[in-house]
Amino acid sequence: MVSMMLLNAVQHIDGAISAKTQKLINKANKKGPYLGLVIPNTFEMNPLLESSNFTSTNLTIDFSGRRFRFGMIAEKKVLLVMTGMGMINAGITTQLLLSVFNIEGVVHYGIAGNANPDFNIADVVIPQFWSHSGLWNWQKYGDGPEDELPLESIGDFTRDIGYLRFANYTVNVTGGSSYDNLLNYIWFQEEEIFPVNGTPEERERAFWVEVDPTYYEIAKKLEGLTLESCINSTTCLSETPKVARVQRGTSASIYLYNAAYRNFIYDKFNVTPVDMESASIALICLQQNVPFITIRALSDLAGGGSSVTDDADTFFDLAANNSVIVLLEFIKELSASTLSKSTIHVL
C-alpha cells in the first residue's frame, strides 16, 4: 500500500499520470482484462465508434497525449486507443497500453497499401508474419554483397536478410552499357528486442514476427465474410472484396506510392499489405509477451495501379469500413471461443 502511494505521488509530481487519473486506471483494471484495439487514425476508428455492435461504457481516460476508450463488443471487454501515424507513434501507444492497463491481447486494424497482385482494393488481409522493413544499413559506394558491413563482425548488423541495389532501377540505360548508382546498396536489418521475460540489456533480434497462432486460426473463420464493395449508389468496385489470411505484411514509416519499390518488396519478401504501424505493434507485443493480430484492408495499390484503381483518397473510407466489419466478426469469434473454453473448463 505504501509503495503504491509513493508511486502515485511520484507520478503526480512528474506529470506522467495524475493521482486522479491513476485512480481511474486502477478502477478500470479491476474490471479487466480487456482486448486492446489499436487504431492508427480517426477515420479508421470512427466507423467502429458508430457501429451498433460497439457499446461504449462512456469511460475515457486521457494521459500522455492519448485517449483510452472503454466498451464492449460481443460480450468482450475492449479498450480502444488511437496511435497516430508511423512506427514511433504506434510503438509508444502500444507500450503505454500494455504497461498501464490490464490487457489480454491486442488487435490492430486499419487500412494499408497493397503490394500483392493477387489482391484488390477493399480486400481485407490478415498476415501471419510482420516485419519492419525500414531498418537499414546503407553501404558505402564501391562495396557490394561480398563486403562486410561496418560492425557486422560484432553482431550489430547482418547480410542474411538481403539488400536493395539502387542501380538496378536506373533508367535510360543504352543497351549493353554498364551502369551504377552512388546510392549503392541498402541492407535490411533485424530489430533489437528486449523481451519482458528475458535478461535486461541482453539483446535479442527479430525480423519476422508471428501473430498469435490461436488468433490466426480463429481468423480462418472470417474467410467468406461479406464485405462492402460500393462507395455510394453509383460507384462500386468491379471485384467483390474478400477476406484472406496471407503469409506476410511489412511496415516502415514511409508512405509507399511507388510501383518499382512495391514490386521489389513483393518479390523480395512475398508481402501483401504495406503500412506504417503494424510491425511496431508486433514488436512491442513480442517483447511484452502479449498475443496480437493485425487486420488490414487494402485501400490502394501502393503506386502500382492506374490513376483510377490506385487512388487512395477515393477508397480509404470503403476500406476502413471493411476493416471494421472484419474486426467485429473476429471479436465475435474470439468471444465465442473464449466462452466455449470456459464452459469446457467448468464441466
Side-chain angles (χ1 to χ4, degrees):
M1 177 65 72
V2 173
S3 62
M4 179 58 72
M5 290 173 65
L6 287 172
L7 176 61
N8 288 346
V10 170
Q11 288 170 333
H12 180 68
I13 290 168
D14 68 17
I17 301 179
S18 69
K20 180 180 179 181
T21 299
Q22 187 64 55
K23 187 175 180 180
L24 286 174
I25 291 169
N26 293 341
K27 185 177 180 180
N29 280 340
K30 289 179 182 178
K31 298 179 180 180
Y34 301 92
L35 184 66
L37 306 185
V38 181
I39 310 154
N41 289 297
T42 53
F43 67 81
E44 293 155 313
M45 181 172 63
N46 286 340
L48 177 58
L49 296 178
E50 295 165 3
S51 171
S52 60
N53 292 293
F54 171 71
T55 302
S56 173
T57 63
N58 295 318
L59 172 62
T60 61
I61 300 178
D62 297 343
F63 67 92
S64 294
R66 269 69 180 180
R67 172 161 291 173
F68 297 85
R69 305 167 183 263
F70 295 78
M72 294 283 294
I73 298 173
E75 307 303 318
K76 177 70 74 174
K77 297 175 183 178
V78 296
L79 201 173
L80 286 63
V81 61
M82 190 192 80
T83 67
M85 184 184 296
M87 295 283 286
I88 292 176
N89 274 327
I92 290 171
T93 306
T94 305
Q95 186 64 67
L96 281 171
L97 174 73
L98 300 184
S99 296
V100 174
F101 294 103
N102 183 4
I103 301 298
E104 66 178 62
V106 170
V107 182
H108 175 52
Y109 79 91
I111 65 172
N114 173 35
N116 188 336
D118 292 335
F119 289 90
N120 301 301
I121 297 296
D123 287 346
V124 177
V125 294
I126 305 170
Q128 185 177 8
F129 297 92
W130 282 93
S131 71
H132 176 204
S133 53
L135 181 59
W136 299 343
N137 184 306
W138 207 319
Q139 203 170 23
K140 73 176 182 180
Y141 178 72
D143 285 355
E146 70 285 352
D147 295 301
E148 190 175 89
L149 301 172
L151 307 182
E152 182 181 348
S153 62
I154 63 172
D156 280 354
F157 295 104
T158 179
R159 283 175 290 155
D160 291 342
I161 298 170
Y163 60 81
L164 166 65
R165 180 174 183 261
F166 286 94
N168 290 345
Y169 297 90
T170 302
V171 296
N172 299 324
V173 177
T174 58
S177 66
S178 62
Y179 57 94
D180 209 340
N181 188 303
L182 291 174
L183 293 175
N184 206 34
Y185 294 80
I186 60 100
W187 293 83
F188 295 93
Q189 300 298 316
E190 300 165 309
E191 282 278 3
E192 289 185 351
I193 60 170
F194 297 87
V196 67
N197 54 359
T199 302
E201 298 183 351
E202 205 167 279
R203 301 179 297 181
E204 297 181 20
R205 288 181 169 82
F207 188 71
W208 293 111
V209 180
E210 185 175 10
V211 305
D212 181 74
T214 300
Y215 286 3
Y216 194 63
E217 186 62 28
I218 289 172
K220 186 177 182 180
K221 299 178 181 180
L222 310 180
E223 295 175 339
L225 193 64
T226 300
L227 301 177
E228 295 180 4
S229 58
C230 295
I231 300 171
N232 50 46
S233 59
T234 59
T235 306
C236 294
L237 295 167
S238 58
E239 298 282 344
T240 301
K242 58 184 179 292
V243 182
R245 298 188 305 170
V246 297
Q247 184 185 26
R248 292 172 172 174
T250 195
S251 309
S253 287
I254 302 166
Y255 186 86
L256 176 55
Y257 205 69
N258 179 274
Y261 191 76
R262 171 192 189 259
N263 294 338
F264 164 80
I265 206 78
Y266 172 71
D267 292 338
K268 184 72 177 178
F269 295 124
N270 190 35
V271 298
T272 300
V274 289
D275 68 27
M276 301 175 69
E277 295 87 20
S278 294
S280 180
I281 294 157
L283 286 159
I284 296 297
C285 288
L286 172 64
Q287 295 185 83
Q288 298 300 308
N289 197 29
V290 174
F292 83 98
I293 196 166
T294 293
I295 296 166
R296 285 283 187 166
L298 307 176
S299 61
D300 62 89
L301 302 181
S306 69
S307 59
V308 175
T309 61
D310 203 17
D311 186 355
D313 292 339
T314 301
F315 297 106
F316 75 87
D317 278 340
L318 176 62
N321 288 340
N322 280 348
S323 72
V324 171
I325 290 171
V326 177
L327 168 79
L328 292 168
E329 189 64 23
F330 174 81
I331 296 176
K332 177 182 175 182
E333 294 289 349
L334 178 62
S335 181
S337 174
T338 303
L339 288 173
S340 176
K341 288 180 180 178
S342 298
T343 303
I344 291 172
H345 181 71
V346 171
L347 292 175

